[in-house]
Amino acid sequence: MSGYPTLSAIAQWIENQFDPAGSVAAFVQWLTGQSTSLLRGSIYQVAMFGLTFYLLFYFLRDRQHGLQAVAGLSPLRAPETAYILSRFAETVHATLLGTVFVAAVQGILGGLMFWWLGLPTPVFWGLVMGLLAIVPVLGAFVIWVPAAVYLALEGAWASAAILTVWGGVIVGGIDNLLYPMLVGNRLRLHTVVAFIGAVGGIVLFGASGLVLGPAVIAITISLIDVLKTRLTDRPTPARAGELPHQSVTD
């Protein structure tokens, strides 16, 4: 650098201003901390995954005994307890089926756009987008965003723009449109109420809130129905799952 005084001065100024050695040390320290957090989080997720299936086995095998135990501990009357449990089961089924259906639609839409743009293996990537769409933290954008970046780097700006608009507006927006409609109709809840339940559940409970959020709302409304039935001296529903009166609908 002695033969190039200008470059030497610039290098000296950069070293004085930015401290490359200190920056590299700080980056290495940050990277170490992130790796530790990632490892700890991965172990936690694997443990929770195994625990979920462990508990699910006993829930499925002993579900009748569990329902009888809940009915025995419930302070409500037997028909009222059966009604609450029926509404809870309907909520879980509707939420899960709605989530899978919407994810399948997102995967199909993404795969069709991949096929139309001439991207390789559109069926495979459509399947991957559908599977990722089930996970609340992730989504189909994990696939179509890198594909749009790839098209842009290849110079196919029109295709990249089409894929970006299609993925962001159609594939991403169809979730907010279809999910509340499907789940809300099956739960006899207003679309806005079902949407707030799903979003609020995710905020409070994480990924499991996608099911717990609407379930909490449905059970709360069911308990209000039971209370109103008692206050108005109307007969408790004789059949499990029958509403005491017409619930809020679209």
Side-chain angles (χ1 to χ4, degrees):
M1 298 289 287
S2 59
Y4 301 92
T6 303
L7 294 179
S8 178
I10 293 175
Q12 183 64 35
W13 180 83
I14 293 175
E15 183 177 357
N16 294 334
Q17 294 295 323
F18 296 100
D19 187 16
S23 300
V24 171
F27 175 74
V28 171
Q29 184 178 2
W30 174 83
L31 187 61
T32 303
Q34 291 298 317
S35 301
T36 303
S37 300
L38 180 62
L39 179 60
R40 187 184 301 113
S42 301
I43 294 175
Y44 173 78
Q45 292 297 331
V46 171
M48 291 301 297
F49 185 79
L51 181 62
T52 298
F53 279 92
Y54 175 78
L55 295 177
L56 182 62
F57 168 77
Y58 289 102
F59 285 155
L60 293 176
R61 191 190 69 174
D62 303 327
R63 60 185 180 276
Q64 294 300 330
H65 297 289
L67 292 175
Q68 292 174 3
V70 172
L73 295 174
S74 174
L76 302 176
R77 300 164 185 166
E80 295 170 345
T81 301
Y83 167 62
I84 298 296
L85 293 176
S86 175
R87 291 288 287 135
F88 177 77
E90 290 177 358
T91 303
V92 173
H93 292 162
T95 303
L96 292 177
L97 291 177
T99 300
V100 172
F101 179 80
V102 172
V105 172
Q106 290 181 302
I108 291 173
L109 292 175
L112 287 175
M113 182 51 61
F114 271 48
W115 169 77
W116 189 73
L117 294 175
L119 292 171
T121 60
V123 176
F124 170 76
W125 291 119
L127 177 62
V128 174
M129 281 188 281
L131 294 176
L132 290 176
I134 300 177
V135 184
V137 180
L138 302 178
F141 71 92
V142 175
I143 301 301
W144 66 258
V145 167
V149 173
Y150 167 78
L151 290 174
L153 294 177
E154 289 292 318
W157 295 102
S159 298
I162 292 173
L163 181 58
T164 301
V165 173
W166 182 266
V169 177
I170 304 300
V171 177
I174 201 70
D175 183 12
N176 299 328
L177 177 65
L178 286 182
Y179 181 81
M181 293 175 58
L182 294 173
V183 176
N185 289 338
R186 291 200 59 181
L187 298 181
R188 297 184 289 276
L189 295 176
H190 194 278
T191 302
V192 175
V193 177
F195 177 75
I196 292 175
V199 174
I202 293 175
V203 172
L204 292 176
F205 305 109
S208 58
L210 191 66
V211 176
L212 294 179
V216 169
I217 291 181
I219 291 176
T220 301
I221 294 178
S222 301
L223 290 173
I224 294 174
D225 287 338
V226 170
L227 178 60
K228 292 174 64 176
T229 301
R230 288 189 178 186
L231 294 177
T232 55
D233 293 326
R234 298 177 62 181
T236 303
R239 180 169 59 87
E242 180 183 351
L243 285 172
H245 56 81
Q246 183 65 34
S247 295
V248 179
T249 55
D250 288 330

